[in-house]
Amino acid sequence: MDNKMMNVDELFVETGECGKYQVLQYFLLAFPIIFSSYQTITYIFSTGIPDYRCLVPECEDGLSSTPPKFWTPWLRSALPFPPGSTHPEQCLRYRPLFNCSEGLADQCTAEWFDRHDPIRCDKFVFREQEKTVASEFKILCPENEWKIALVGTINNLGFLIGMPVAGVLSDSYGRKTVLIVSCFLQSLVGVVRSFALGY
């Protein structure tokens, strides 16, 4: 047996230099990896928190087929604004002084609210009608933002555990088999999670 070390130039002579076959194999291998990485990248967009404020049922109708407008003339009467800010508090509104029917925006005035007693709200109006995990499942307000971060943490934890396991399985069953099964499972989980009804 010849124990002579082979240098890189000799290795290329033995195996053949980069040609059409190697380029084709590279792209065929990269193709499923590129598409599977989209599920990781979508976290950035699907968990974005859109601009929102409290719904004020005394002044606007939250049940209408057309969503309420984000900016209205009576906004400063019904919602607290942080000092020096032009944007209302996102999760606070002033306590109404009496019950009234919904949607009376033309009559909504500061006298309807106790401006010294802000309360939490559970319904919201969004500036844009984009769909994200935060807006769909109402994961809003600072005390709930950890739930959004948890989604990304669990995703990355799955990669941290899955990659070494995939390496061990690749040694036993072959890289091609493990790659195909991994891509299939990731696609299946991606389709299933699109039907999620809650957080």
Side-chain angles (χ1 to χ4, degrees):
M1 178 181 273
D2 189 6
N3 291 333
K4 183 182 147 189
M5 293 290 289
M6 187 179 286
N7 65 31
V8 175
D9 292 330
E10 292 172 334
L11 183 64
F12 280 141
V13 170
E14 188 73 27
T15 60
E17 294 186 15
C18 183
K20 290 181 181 177
Y21 176 78
Q22 286 80 6
V23 171
L24 177 64
Q25 291 303 311
Y26 174 79
F27 281 107
L28 287 177
L29 181 63
F31 188 74
I33 295 171
I34 290 169
F35 280 101
S36 68
S37 68
Y38 283 146
Q39 288 191 349
T40 304
I41 295 171
T42 57
Y43 168 79
I44 298 166
F45 304 102
S46 63
T47 59
I49 300 175
D51 200 8
Y52 65 95
R53 66 165 175 85
C54 287
L55 176 79
V56 183
E58 294 79 17
C59 301
E60 56 195 339
D61 185 4
L63 303 175
S64 172
S65 59
T66 57
K69 293 180 181 175
F70 188 84
W71 295 109
T72 60
W74 47 261
L75 211 54
R76 287 192 176 271
S77 301
L79 301 176
F81 280 66
S85 175
T86 58
H87 194 282
E89 290 280 357
Q90 292 182 310
C91 300
L92 295 175
R93 69 187 193 98
Y94 292 130
R95 183 183 301 278
L97 294 173
F98 53 87
N99 291 329
C100 65
S101 59
E102 291 186 345
L104 301 175
D106 56 334
Q107 303 173 23
C108 198
T109 63
E111 290 76 33
W112 287 20
F113 304 96
D114 182 355
R115 295 174 58 84
H116 302 289
D117 187 14
I119 58 173
R120 306 287 299 174
C121 57
D122 58 358
K123 294 181 181 175
F124 303 93
V125 175
F126 297 94
R127 184 196 296 260
E128 304 289 337
Q129 297 306 311
E130 61 182 300
K131 306 266 187 207
T132 69
V133 173
S135 62
E136 285 288 298
F137 299 141
K138 302 296 185 272
I139 306 173
L140 304 168
C141 300
E143 66 270 13
N144 291 319
E145 287 179 4
W146 66 270
K147 294 178 181 177
I148 298 289
L150 184 65
V151 172
T153 302
I154 290 174
N155 184 54
N156 290 333
L157 191 62
F159 279 113
L160 183 69
I161 295 168
M163 286 184 181
V165 170
V168 171
L169 292 175
S170 294
D171 291 341
S172 301
Y173 300 103
R175 288 176 180 80
K176 182 178 176 183
T177 304
V178 171
L179 179 66
I180 291 170
V181 169
S182 297
C183 289
F184 172 75
L185 289 176
Q186 190 171 19
S187 301
L188 181 66
V189 169
V191 170
V192 168
R193 78 177 179 181
S194 70
F195 292 103
L197 300 175
Y199 177 76

PDB file of all heavy atoms in Angstrom, residues 41-60:
ATOM      1  N   ILE A  41     -36.550  32.152   7.127  1.00  0.00           N
ATOM      2  CA  ILE A  41     -36.564  33.583   6.844  1.00  0.00           C
ATOM      3  C   ILE A  41     -37.958  34.179   7.046  1.00  0.00           C
ATOM      4  O   ILE A  41     -38.088  35.339   7.438  1.00  0.00           O
ATOM      5  CB  ILE A  41     -36.057  33.845   5.412  1.00  0.00           C
ATOM      6  CG1 ILE A  41     -34.587  33.434   5.310  1.00  0.00           C
ATOM      7  CG2 ILE A  41     -36.226  35.291   5.010  1.00  0.00           C
ATOM      8  CD1 ILE A  41     -34.042  33.434   3.906  1.00  0.00           C
ATOM      9  N   THR A  42     -39.017  33.416   6.795  1.00  0.00           N
ATOM     10  CA  THR A  42     -40.369  33.955   6.941  1.00  0.00           C
ATOM     11  C   THR A  42     -40.664  34.394   8.361  1.00  0.00           C
ATOM     12  O   THR A  42     -41.551  35.213   8.582  1.00  0.00           O
ATOM     13  CB  THR A  42     -41.445  32.929   6.522  1.00  0.00           C
ATOM     14  OG1 THR A  42     -41.294  31.744   7.294  1.00  0.00           O
ATOM     15  CG2 THR A  42     -41.377  32.621   5.061  1.00  0.00           C
ATOM     16  N   TYR A  43     -39.906  33.899   9.335  1.00  0.00           N
ATOM     17  CA  TYR A  43     -40.101  34.327  10.730  1.00  0.00           C
ATOM     18  C   TYR A  43     -39.989  35.844  10.844  1.00  0.00           C
ATOM     19  O   TYR A  43     -40.761  36.482  11.567  1.00  0.00           O
ATOM     20  CB  TYR A  43     -39.074  33.649  11.642  1.00  0.00           C
ATOM     21  CG  TYR A  43     -39.023  34.245  13.024  1.00  0.00           C
ATOM     22  CD1 TYR A  43     -39.982  33.911  13.971  1.00  0.00           C
ATOM     23  CD2 TYR A  43     -38.037  35.153  13.380  1.00  0.00           C
ATOM     24  CE1 TYR A  43     -39.951  34.461  15.236  1.00  0.00           C
ATOM     25  CE2 TYR A  43     -37.997  35.705  14.636  1.00  0.00           C
ATOM     26  CZ  TYR A  43     -38.955  35.359  15.565  1.00  0.00           C
ATOM     27  OH  TYR A  43     -38.926  35.923  16.805  1.00  0.00           O
ATOM     28  N   ILE A  44     -39.049  36.425  10.111  1.00  0.00           N
ATOM     29  CA  ILE A  44     -38.819  37.865  10.189  1.00  0.00           C
ATOM     30  C   ILE A  44     -40.068  38.637   9.780  1.00  0.00           C
ATOM     31  O   ILE A  44     -40.427  39.631  10.398  1.00  0.00           O
ATOM     32  CB  ILE A  44     -37.633  38.261   9.280  1.00  0.00           C
ATOM     33  CG1 ILE A  44     -36.354  37.575   9.764  1.00  0.00           C
ATOM     34  CG2 ILE A  44     -37.457  39.772   9.227  1.00  0.00           C
ATOM     35  CD1 ILE A  44     -35.220  37.628   8.775  1.00  0.00           C
ATOM     36  N   PHE A  45     -40.748  38.153   8.744  1.00  0.00           N
ATOM     37  CA  PHE A  45     -41.905  38.871   8.213  1.00  0.00           C
ATOM     38  C   PHE A  45     -43.213  38.452   8.883  1.00  0.00           C
ATOM     39  O   PHE A  45     -44.089  39.280   9.122  1.00  0.00           O
ATOM     40  CB  PHE A  45     -41.999  38.653   6.703  1.00  0.00           C
ATOM     41  CG  PHE A  45     -40.748  39.058   5.988  1.00  0.00           C
ATOM     42  CD1 PHE A  45     -39.838  38.104   5.556  1.00  0.00           C
ATOM     43  CD2 PHE A  45     -40.467  40.388   5.761  1.00  0.00           C
ATOM     44  CE1 PHE A  45     -38.679  38.476   4.905  1.00  0.00           C
ATOM     45  CE2 PHE A  45     -39.312  40.771   5.115  1.00  0.00           C
ATOM     46  CZ  PHE A  45     -38.414  39.814   4.686  1.00  0.00           C
ATOM     47  N   SER A  46     -43.363  37.169   9.178  1.00  0.00           N
ATOM     48  CA  SER A  46     -44.639  36.693   9.717  1.00  0.00           C
ATOM     49  C   SER A  46     -44.832  37.027  11.186  1.00  0.00           C
ATOM     50  O   SER A  46     -45.940  36.947  11.692  1.00  0.00           O
ATOM     51  CB  SER A  46     -44.777  35.180   9.513  1.00  0.00           C
ATOM     52  OG  SER A  46     -43.775  34.491  10.237  1.00  0.00           O
ATOM     53  N   THR A  47     -43.774  37.392  11.891  1.00  0.00           N
ATOM     54  CA  THR A  47     -43.928  37.739  13.312  1.00  0.00           C
ATOM     55  C   THR A  47     -43.757  39.229  13.561  1.00  0.00           C
ATOM     56  O   THR A  47     -43.662  39.656  14.707  1.00  0.00           O
ATOM     57  CB  THR A  47     -42.918  36.968  14.182  1.00  0.00           C
ATOM     58  OG1 THR A  47     -41.596  37.278  13.750  1.00  0.00           O
ATOM     59  CG2 THR A  47     -43.153  35.480  14.109  1.00  0.00           C
ATOM     60  N   GLY A  48     -43.716  40.016  12.504  1.00  0.00           N
ATOM     61  CA  GLY A  48     -43.609  41.465  12.683  1.00  0.00           C
ATOM     62  C   GLY A  48     -44.825  42.003  13.423  1.00  0.00           C
ATOM     63  O   GLY A  48     -45.942  41.509  13.280  1.00  0.00           O
ATOM     64  N   ILE A  49     -44.603  43.020  14.239  1.00  0.00           N
ATOM     65  CA  ILE A  49     -45.704  43.625  15.000  1.00  0.00           C
ATOM     66  C   ILE A  49     -46.127  44.899  14.276  1.00  0.00           C
ATOM     67  O   ILE A  49     -45.376  45.874  14.243  1.00  0.00           O
ATOM     68  CB  ILE A  49     -45.279  43.933  16.446  1.00  0.00           C
ATOM     69  CG1 ILE A  49     -44.857  42.638  17.144  1.00  0.00           C
ATOM     70  CG2 ILE A  49     -46.416  44.616  17.203  1.00  0.00           C
ATOM     71  CD1 ILE A  49     -44.306  42.821  18.535  1.00  0.00           C
ATOM     72  N   PRO A  50     -47.322  44.902  13.681  1.00  0.00           N
ATOM     73  CA  PRO A  50     -47.767  46.098  12.958  1.00  0.00           C
ATOM     74  C   PRO A  50     -48.121  47.224  13.929  1.00  0.00           C
ATOM     75  O   PRO A  50     -48.320  46.995  15.124  1.00  0.00           O
ATOM     76  CB  PRO A  50     -49.005  45.602  12.200  1.00  0.00           C
ATOM     77  CG  PRO A  50     -49.494  44.446  12.988  1.00  0.00           C
ATOM     78  CD  PRO A  50     -48.297  43.821  13.637  1.00  0.00           C
ATOM     79  N   ASP A  51     -48.215  48.430  13.408  1.00  0.00           N
ATOM     80  CA  ASP A  51     -48.589  49.583  14.220  1.00  0.00           C
ATOM     81  C   ASP A  51     -50.068  49.438  14.617  1.00  0.00           C
ATOM     82  O   ASP A  51     -50.913  49.168  13.763  1.00  0.00           O
ATOM     83  CB  ASP A  51     -48.360  50.857  13.413  1.00  0.00           C
ATOM     84  CG  ASP A  51     -48.255  52.079  14.293  1.00  0.00           C
ATOM     85  OD1 ASP A  51     -48.202  51.921  15.532  1.00  0.00           O
ATOM     86  OD2 ASP A  51     -48.225  53.195  13.752  1.00  0.00           O
ATOM     87  N   TYR A  52     -50.366  49.621  15.899  1.00  0.00           N
ATOM     88  CA  TYR A  52     -51.735  49.437  16.378  1.00  0.00           C
ATOM     89  C   TYR A  52     -52.044  50.385  17.526  1.00  0.00           C
ATOM     90  O   TYR A  52     -51.155  50.999  18.108  1.00  0.00           O
ATOM     91  CB  TYR A  52     -51.956  47.983  16.820  1.00  0.00           C
ATOM     92  CG  TYR A  52     -51.129  47.555  18.011  1.00  0.00           C
ATOM     93  CD1 TYR A  52     -51.652  47.614  19.294  1.00  0.00           C
ATOM     94  CD2 TYR A  52     -49.825  47.090  17.853  1.00  0.00           C
ATOM     95  CE1 TYR A  52     -50.894  47.227  20.396  1.00  0.00           C
ATOM     96  CE2 TYR A  52     -49.065  46.698  18.933  1.00  0.00           C
ATOM     97  CZ  TYR A  52     -49.597  46.779  20.207  1.00  0.00           C
ATOM     98  OH  TYR A  52     -48.849  46.402  21.288  1.00  0.00           O
ATOM     99  N   ARG A  53     -53.323  50.490  17.831  1.00  0.00           N
ATOM    100  CA  ARG A  53     -53.815  51.256  18.971  1.00  0.00           C
ATOM    101  C   ARG A  53     -55.064  50.583  19.504  1.00  0.00           C
ATOM    102  O   ARG A  53     -55.579  49.631  18.894  1.00  0.00           O
ATOM    103  CB  ARG A  53     -54.125  52.696  18.569  1.00  0.00           C
ATOM    104  CG  ARG A  53     -55.288  52.808  17.584  1.00  0.00           C
ATOM    105  CD  ARG A  53     -55.804  54.229  17.482  1.00  0.00           C
ATOM    106  NE  ARG A  53     -56.832  54.384  16.463  1.00  0.00           N
ATOM    107  CZ  ARG A  53     -58.123  54.140  16.647  1.00  0.00           C
ATOM    108  NH1 ARG A  53     -58.570  53.660  17.805  1.00  0.00           N
ATOM    109  NH2 ARG A  53     -58.996  54.327  15.657  1.00  0.00           N
ATOM    110  N   CYS A  54     -55.564  51.056  20.639  1.00  0.00           N
ATOM    111  CA  CYS A  54     -56.786  50.486  21.220  1.00  0.00           C
ATOM    112  C   CYS A  54     -58.012  50.838  20.375  1.00  0.00           C
ATOM    113  O   CYS A  54     -58.111  51.937  19.837  1.00  0.00           O
ATOM    114  CB  CYS A  54     -57.017  51.032  22.629  1.00  0.00           C
ATOM    115  SG  CYS A  54     -55.894  50.364  23.857  1.00  0.00           S
ATOM    116  N   LEU A  55     -58.929  49.905  20.308  1.00  0.00           N
ATOM    117  CA  LEU A  55     -60.250  50.195  19.752  1.00  0.00           C
ATOM    118  C   LEU A  55     -61.060  50.889  20.837  1.00  0.00           C
ATOM    119  O   LEU A  55     -61.043  50.477  22.005  1.00  0.00           O
ATOM    120  CB  LEU A  55     -60.941  48.895  19.335  1.00  0.00           C
ATOM    121  CG  LEU A  55     -62.369  49.041  18.832  1.00  0.00           C
ATOM    122  CD1 LEU A  55     -62.380  49.525  17.390  1.00  0.00           C
ATOM    123  CD2 LEU A  55     -63.121  47.723  18.933  1.00  0.00           C
ATOM    124  N   VAL A  56     -61.757  51.953  20.474  1.00  0.00           N
ATOM    125  CA  VAL A  56     -62.598  52.695  21.425  1.00  0.00           C
ATOM    126  C   VAL A  56     -64.047  52.454  21.025  1.00  0.00           C
ATOM    127  O   VAL A  56     -64.574  53.124  20.138  1.00  0.00           O
ATOM    128  CB  VAL A  56     -62.260  54.205  21.407  1.00  0.00           C
ATOM    129  CG1 VAL A  56     -63.081  54.946  22.453  1.00  0.00           C
ATOM    130  CG2 VAL A  56     -60.775  54.414  21.646  1.00  0.00           C
ATOM    131  N   PRO A  57     -64.702  51.459  21.652  1.00  0.00           N
ATOM    132  CA  PRO A  57     -66.060  51.097  21.201  1.00  0.00           C
ATOM    133  C   PRO A  57     -67.082  52.220  21.364  1.00  0.00           C
ATOM    134  O   PRO A  57     -68.105  52.220  20.692  1.00  0.00           O
ATOM    135  CB  PRO A  57     -66.432  49.886  22.076  1.00  0.00           C
ATOM    136  CG  PRO A  57     -65.429  49.828  23.159  1.00  0.00           C
ATOM    137  CD  PRO A  57     -64.234  50.603  22.723  1.00  0.00           C
ATOM    138  N   GLU A  58     -66.815  53.175  22.257  1.00  0.00           N
ATOM    139  CA  GLU A  58     -67.734  54.305  22.419  1.00  0.00           C
ATOM    140  C   GLU A  58     -67.696  55.245  21.220  1.00  0.00           C
ATOM    141  O   GLU A  58     -68.629  56.039  21.024  1.00  0.00           O
ATOM    142  CB  GLU A  58     -67.385  55.104  23.684  1.00  0.00           C
ATOM    143  CG  GLU A  58     -67.595  54.337  24.978  1.00  0.00           C
ATOM    144  CD  GLU A  58     -66.478  53.357  25.285  1.00  0.00           C
ATOM    145  OE1 GLU A  58     -65.378  53.472  24.696  1.00  0.00           O
ATOM    146  OE2 GLU A  58     -66.704  52.453  26.108  1.00  0.00           O
ATOM    147  N   CYS A  59     -66.640  55.183  20.438  1.00  0.00           N
ATOM    148  CA  CYS A  59     -66.450  56.124  19.336  1.00  0.00           C
ATOM    149  C   CYS A  59     -66.385  55.469  17.959  1.00  0.00           C
ATOM    150  O   CYS A  59     -66.444  56.155  16.945  1.00  0.00           O
ATOM    151  CB  CYS A  59     -65.168  56.920  19.554  1.00  0.00           C
ATOM    152  SG  CYS A  59     -65.141  57.847  21.089  1.00  0.00           S
ATOM    153  N   GLU A  60     -66.180  54.168  17.916  1.00  0.00           N
ATOM    154  CA  GLU A  60     -66.044  53.506  16.615  1.00  0.00           C
ATOM    155  C   GLU A  60     -66.605  52.097  16.696  1.00  0.00           C
ATOM    156  O   GLU A  60     -66.637  51.493  17.770  1.00  0.00           O
ATOM    157  CB  GLU A  60     -64.583  53.481  16.173  1.00  0.00           C
ATOM    158  CG  GLU A  60     -63.644  52.845  17.169  1.00  0.00           C
ATOM    159  CD  GLU A  60     -62.192  53.140  16.889  1.00  0.00           C
ATOM    160  OE1 GLU A  60     -61.845  53.498  15.748  1.00  0.00           O
ATOM    161  OE2 GLU A  60     -61.382  53.024  17.820  1.00  0.00           O
TER     162      GLU A  60
END
